[in-house]
Structure formats: C-alpha cells, structure tokens
C-alpha cells in the first residue's frame, strides 16, 4: 500500500531547535519514540516518553559516542521490507521493532572546517551513524519516512497536522530524494577536505542552495543560480537579478577588488566600458562615465567606497541596471531608489572562490582563478626610455583592466583613466584599431597614453600603430619568438616597453 502509518520513530539529532512541536505531535499520536544521548534528554525534559536506543540494542554508546546506533536492532527495524514475509519473520525472531519514521541530522562538518584548523576536531565531526541511518531509511522509503535536516521540520509538521501519522509513497519518495541530497553533499564536503592535500584529479562540487532566475542568457532559456547570493551582498532595492546581471556582477566585483584608491568600474557584457581611480569618489565617477557614456547605458556599476548623496545624484542621471558598493548613505539610498527596478546591492566581506569551472562538450573545465596581478616591481624594462612615475601607474592600471577583459584585448589608458579598449577580437591589431577609434570618438587624446596587451605581440605592427596614435609606453607579457622586433621598434622611436612574463587570456 502507498499509505503508511507512523507507529514508531527514531529521533537522533545534533540540532534541537524546531524539534519540540514535532515531538509533542508524535506524542499526541502515541507514536513510540526511540532516541539517543542528548536527544533523549531533550525529549524527557519536555515531559514526554521516549526509549533509549541502548535498551533496544542492549549495548551502551561506546568509543566516546562514535558507536551508538550501528546495530541490527536499529537498522533491521528500518530496512525490513514490510511486504516481505521473511523480513518480518526475522524481526519477530530477534525481537526487533519496526521503525517507520527516522529524524536525524549530521554533525556540522562544514561549519567545523570553517571555524578551526584542528584536524582532530574536524575528524570527530565526520558523522558515521547519522549518515548510515539516513541512507538506510531513504533506501527503504516504500515503508519509512526519513527527515534528514531541520529545514524539513515544517513540512513534516504540516503532514502530521493534516493527515495524522500517515504518509503517502510520493511524500516518502520526496523526503528520500532530499536525504540522498543531504548525504551526497556531506560526503562531497568531506572528500574536498581530504583532497585539498591529496589532489586526486576528480571533479566534485555540491551546492544545495538555488536561486531561481527569470530566464537564462536569453528569454527562451531556463536559468538557475546555484548558491546563495545573500552571502555575497544585501539587496536594498530593485527587481530580481537575472542570469546576465549575475555574470556582469561577477566581472564588476572581480575588477573593482583590484583597486585600492577611490575607483568606479562600469561593466557591460562582462567587460569594462569605464574605469577611473581618483583622489575622491565623485571625480572617479565622472571620469569613469566619460570613458564611454554610450556603453554605460544599462550597465552595472561597482565602487570600492561608500556612496554619499552627492555622488548618488551624479550617478542617478544615468540609466543603469545595478550598482554595488560597500555602503550607501541614507541620502544616497533616497536618491537611487526613485527608480523602482534599479538594483542596489551592499557588498559583504565575502571572498570569491579561488577556482572556477564551466561545462563544455561532455565534461567540465576546471582552473584556478587568475589571481596574478602585476605591480610596478613585476615589470621589466626592455627598452632605453625610462617611464615616468605617472606612466608606471598607468601601465599597472591598464594591465589590471586588460586582465579582466575578453581576449584578444588591448587597453589604452592615461592618468589612471580608461581611454578605450578593444575587446574580444580575433586579431590583436583589430583590437588596437577598435580601441583607438573608440577613444577618438569620445574625444580622448592618446598623446602620452599607455597601452596594455593581454598577450605578446607576434609582430611589431601593434606598437607601430600605437606609436602613431600617441602611445608612449607599452606593457605586455612578452614571450614571442619575435619579441625583439617589437622591442627594437620601441627603442628606435623613443617608446617605453615593459614586460611582465604573465599572460592574461580570458575567454
């Protein structure tokens, strides 16, 4: 039969919050309750009746609590198939009671890893009995209901209130699916802890949180964000985030985190269309917007400083999708929330993952994030002309932007302001020509500017074009067999060239 009545329950949980109402409801229904340790004490403290698992197994909890429920007297009652005559005869022979409901959670392994480096403490939080109970009850979901976490208590309580101590097969199967989700996530966390040292080359990720999106990259595609955005930012205002919003946010946060001075970043389709660092935030905003006010329309804005009302009033003149900052004054919030769909986010102190992955073909590509950022000390002069202090600052600035732009890319900058970039081109020459054309169209003079490239120059054509446009200093990774041709051109024409030895492809 698909309907099963709960006559007995095993309850053994680490977290007791939310449990009281369930236990009282089970008591009202005369459900026989077996329990262990602290849970047994908790139930007794409520004035309710429970039986110790030790009395069922005739063995005490041993090895400092490592072994409590691992016994045929417990698992037999969970795994016995109620329609199997042989199973029921064995239960009767060994005086094992059927167990119809299992409520169990797991030791907080992930939380322990976050809070301590003590390996002994971490190992002790690897649950053995609990995970075994979860798997056993979920396997026998035709007869047993498994509740594998406190987040499922409200649903269990609703069932108990609406249908009494009866459950359907469909309900038990849903809870079983969540149970295997719980066990697989837990095992993945343990494996990743051990594999941080062992480096076994396999791919394992598990994220239980999911954030539904209106759609994917396009309206005809479904999309979901797996993770909890609330861990990364607090949303103050605006519509729900979209798939493309999240991609742009990731690009914006990754880029703004590179800067220490007052800086604004404007992102459009994962690339920077405006960046400026200044002595004060309002100048940083005005100069970032001046880079490309056309592309900035509908973009994502990020800054590394709290936004006040004065700055907010300037920003409010632009139509944009999202702004993210460490904070906003009350006046700034009042200004920016006048547009109902505008998304306003307060950045939290959360560090992004140190690696990234993407699915393709029939597998997954995994890599460390590009966390290499070059300072002036990382740049080697390979030409005769010494750069000025400002040109060095500008090359560091431009090289940061080029690192976060789609390849092939060229970035032109002056006075810590993005003049223009050529991005996502199949030719580095095309990327440079695009950048020059764009800079000129927005009224920038490139005289005295610097150029950054994400990869080496296979030919001297780029430095020649840049020279004629007014560029005086170039930073690039180097590494081409024909590096010397570009170096020689710079020497012969009084340009500075610095090499970093680090390529920054981004695809």
């Amino acid at each position: 039969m698909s309907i099963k009545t709960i006559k007995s329950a095993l309850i053994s949980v680490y977290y007791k919050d939310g449990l009281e109402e369930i236990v009282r409801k089970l008591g009202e229904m005369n459900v026989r309750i077996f329990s262990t340790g602290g849970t047994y004490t908790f139930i007794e403290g409520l004035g309710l009746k429970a039986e110790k698992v030790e009395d069922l197994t005739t063995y005490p909890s041993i090895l400092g609590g490592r072994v409590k429920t691992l016994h045929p007297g417990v698992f037999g009652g969970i795994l016995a198939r109620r329609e199997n005559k042989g199973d029921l005869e064995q239960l009767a022979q060994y005086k094992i009671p059927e167990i119809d409901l299992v409520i169990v959670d797991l030791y907080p392994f992930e939380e322990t890893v976050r809070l301590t480096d003590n390996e002994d403490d971490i190992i002790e939080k690897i649950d053995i009995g609990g995970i075994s109970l979860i798997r056993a009850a979920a396997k026998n979901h035709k007869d047993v209901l498994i509740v594998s976490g406190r987040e499922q208590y409200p649903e269990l309580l609703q069932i108990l209130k609406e249908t009494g101590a009866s459950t359907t097969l469909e309900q038990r199967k849903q809870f079983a699916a969540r149970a295997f989700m719980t066990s697989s996530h837990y095992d993945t966390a343990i494996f990743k802890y051990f594999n941080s040292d062992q480096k076994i080359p396999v791919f394992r990720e598990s994220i239980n949180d999911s954030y539904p999106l209106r759609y994917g990259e396009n309206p005809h595609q479904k999309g979901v964000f797996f993770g909890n955005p609330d861990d990364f930012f607090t949303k103050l205002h605006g519509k729900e985030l979209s798939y493309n919003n999240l991609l742009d946010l990731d690009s914006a946060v990754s880029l703004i985190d590179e800067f220490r001075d007052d800086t604004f970043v404007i992102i459009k389709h994962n690339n920077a269309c405006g960046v400026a660092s200044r002595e004060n935030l309002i100048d940083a905003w005005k100069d970032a917007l001046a880079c490309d006010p056309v592309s900035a329309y509908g973009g994502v804005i990020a800054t590394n400083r709290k936004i006040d009302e004065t700055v907010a009033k300037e920003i409010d003149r632009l139509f944009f999708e999202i702004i993210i900052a460490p904070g906003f004054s009350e006046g700034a919030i009042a200004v920016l929330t006048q547009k109902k769909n505008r998304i306003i986010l307060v950045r939290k102190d959360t560090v992004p993952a140190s690696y990234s992955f993407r699915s393709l073909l029939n597998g997954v590509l995994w890599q460390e994030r590009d966390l290499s950022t070059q300072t002036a000390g990382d740049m080697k002069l390979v030409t005769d002309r010494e750069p000025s202090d400002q040109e060095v600052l500008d090359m560091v600035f431009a090289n940061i932007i080029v690192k976060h732009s789609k390849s092939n890319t060229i970035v032109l900058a002056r006075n810590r302001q993005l003049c223009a970039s050529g991005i996502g081109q199949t030719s580095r020459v095309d990327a440079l020509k695009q950048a020059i054309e764009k800079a000129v169209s927005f009224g920038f003079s490139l005289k005295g500017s610097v150029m950054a490239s994400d990869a080496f120059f296979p030919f001297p054509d780029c430095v020649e074009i840049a020279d004629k446009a007014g560029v005086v200093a170039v930073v690039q990774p180097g590494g081409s067999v024909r590096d010397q041709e570009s170096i020689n051109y710079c020497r012969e024409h009084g340009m500075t060239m610095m090499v970093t030895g680090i390529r920054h492809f981004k695809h």
Side-chain angles (χ1 to χ4, degrees):
M1 293 175 62
S2 63
I3 302 293
K4 295 288 182 178
T5 300
I6 300 171
K7 299 176 182 178
S8 62
L10 171 63
I11 307 176
S12 180
V13 295
Y14 186 88
Y15 297 104
K16 311 299 189 295
D17 45 310
L19 185 62
E20 178 178 348
E21 193 172 358
I22 289 171
V23 174
R24 290 193 183 281
K25 197 68 179 174
L26 293 173
E28 290 174 11
M29 297 174 178
N30 296 316
V31 174
R32 185 182 182 186
I33 298 176
F34 299 96
S35 193
T36 63
T39 308
Y40 175 83
T41 303
F42 173 82
I43 295 172
E44 268 209 329
L46 297 175
L48 299 173
K49 184 180 178 182
E51 299 177 42
K52 293 182 178 179
V53 166
E54 291 95 322
D55 295 337
L56 177 62
T57 64
T58 70
Y59 276 88
S61 173
I62 62 173
L63 308 182
R66 281 190 166 196
V67 181
K68 288 181 285 196
T69 57
L70 295 170
H71 190 279
V74 175
F75 282 85
I78 296 171
L79 286 166
R81 294 157 290 188
R82 302 332 191 234
E83 77 283 1
N84 187 299
K85 183 180 177 181
D87 285 6
L88 297 180
E89 287 175 349
Q90 286 188 312
L91 290 186
Q93 178 183 356
Y94 296 108
K95 299 180 180 179
I96 299 173
E98 295 177 9
I99 296 175
D100 309 308
L101 168 65
V102 175
I103 302 176
V104 64
D105 59 14
L106 301 171
Y107 291 155
F109 178 81
E110 289 178 282
E111 183 180 346
T112 304
V113 171
R114 285 194 296 268
L115 295 176
T116 182
D117 294 327
N118 187 297
E119 186 172 4
D120 289 340
D121 290 344
I122 292 170
I123 296 302
E124 283 307 309
K125 288 300 184 288
I126 298 177
D127 205 307
I128 303 300
I131 203 80
S132 302
L133 290 169
I134 287 173
R135 291 178 62 85
K139 177 176 180 177
N140 202 28
H141 66 272
K142 285 186 177 181
D143 299 305
V144 180
L145 178 66
I146 171 63
V147 177
S148 56
R150 53 185 168 171
E151 70 281 356
Q152 298 167 26
Y153 290 175
E155 190 172 348
L156 171 62
L157 190 59
Q158 184 179 356
I159 290 171
L160 295 176
K161 288 179 177 180
E162 292 180 357
T163 64
S166 297
T167 61
T168 66
L169 177 60
E170 182 59 31
Q171 287 170 334
R172 295 191 299 277
K173 197 167 187 177
Q174 287 176 354
F175 275 89
R178 293 186 194 131
F180 284 119
M181 178 190 75
T182 298
S183 66
S184 65
H185 179 82
Y186 197 75
D187 284 339
T188 297
I190 295 168
F191 169 74
K192 290 180 72 175
Y193 170 75
F194 279 92
N195 205 42
S196 62
D197 292 331
Q198 302 304 316
K199 308 299 183 187
I200 301 170
V202 296
F203 181 79
R204 293 285 188 278
E205 287 293 331
S206 178
I207 303 172
N208 284 343
D209 294 319
S210 62
Y211 181 87
L213 304 173
R214 296 196 303 275
Y215 49 80
E217 203 160 5
N218 299 291
H220 64 277
Q221 296 171 269
K222 292 181 179 179
V224 178
F225 174 72
F226 290 101
N228 187 356
D230 293 339
D231 291 340
F232 209 88
F233 50 73
T234 298
K235 182 181 170 187
L236 300 182
H237 181 76
K239 62 184 179 180
E240 292 301 311
L241 289 160
S242 71
Y243 182 99
N244 293 326
N245 287 158
L246 289 167
L247 286 174
D248 283 340
L249 266 176
D250 182 65
S251 297
V253 167
S254 297
L255 179 53
I256 197 65
D257 281 354
E258 299 271 14
F259 296 100
R260 298 295 170 262
D261 294 331
D262 291 15
T263 302
F264 263 102
V265 165
I266 307 172
I267 296 291
K268 194 73 170 287
H269 293 295
N270 310 143
N271 292 293
C273 60
V275 187
S277 295
R278 291 292 180 261
E279 297 304 314
N280 61 76
L281 202 57
I282 196 162
D283 286 344
W285 166 249
K286 289 178 178 179
D287 289 343
L289 180 60
C291 300
D292 184 351
V294 174
S295 296
Y297 183 88
V300 170
I301 302 168
T303 184
N304 53 3
R305 297 290 187 271
K306 183 177 180 179
I307 295 177
D308 62 22
E309 185 175 357
T310 302
V311 176
K313 285 180 177 178
E314 288 294 326
I315 297 171
D316 188 55
R317 298 180 181 184
L318 175 73
F319 169 76
F320 61 90
E321 288 268 340
I322 302 172
I323 186 165
I324 185 168
F328 298 84
S329 71
E330 289 185 11
I333 293 172
V335 170
L336 295 173
T337 54
Q338 293 178 54
K339 305 287 194 304
K340 69 175 184 177
N341 288 329
R342 182 181 282 166
I343 300 170
I344 303 174
L345 306 174
V346 176
R347 174 82 181 273
K348 292 183 179 178
D349 229 2
T350 306
V351 179
S354 60
Y355 59 89
S356 64
F357 54 88
R358 63 169 72 174
S359 62
L360 53 80
L361 300 176
N362 62 339
V364 172
L365 272 178
W366 180 100
Q367 68 171 350
E368 296 175 339
R369 282 187 180 269
D370 185 355
L371 301 177
S372 177
T373 300
Q374 288 66 60
T375 65
D378 299 317
M379 297 178 179
K380 178 184 176 183
L381 180 66
V382 293
T383 53
D384 301 324
R385 180 184 178 274
E386 290 277 352
S388 68
D389 291 345
Q390 184 61 54
E391 288 165 1
V392 171
L393 288 175
D394 288 346
M395 283 189 282
V396 171
F397 177 87
N399 200 55
I400 288 172
I401 299 171
V402 91
K403 167 185 166 181
H404 292 274
S405 303
K406 297 289 185 182
S407 298
N408 288 310
T409 182
I410 292 288
V411 166
L412 303 175
R414 188 177 63 173
N415 296 328
R416 296 190 301 163
Q417 179 186 27
L418 173 65
C419 297
S421 58
I423 50 179
Q425 300 300 304
T426 54
S427 158
R428 200 158 303 281
V429 171
D430 286 345
L432 174 57
K433 288 180 178 178
Q434 181 191 63
I436 293 171
E437 181 181 350
K438 199 168 190 179
V440 171
S441 71
F442 288 112
F444 284 98
S445 169
L446 294 177
K447 186 176 180 180
S449 65
V450 306
M451 174 174 74
S453 175
D454 61 337
F456 62 64
F457 299 112
F459 305 102
D461 44 8
C462 278
V463 291
E464 181 178 353
I465 294 169
D467 174 37
K468 291 177 180 177
V471 171
V472 296
V474 179
V475 59
Q476 55 120 346
S480 169
V481 295
R482 304 179 69 164
D483 268 349
Q484 199 59 46
E485 294 179 25
S486 295
I487 294 170
N488 288 344
Y489 181 93
C490 289
R491 283 177 175 165
E492 292 165 6
H493 293 82
M495 298 175 71
T496 294
M497 178 175 281
M498 308 281 280
V499 296
T500 66
I502 302 294
R503 188 183 73 184
H504 289 297
F505 269 168
K506 186 181 179 187
H507 298 101

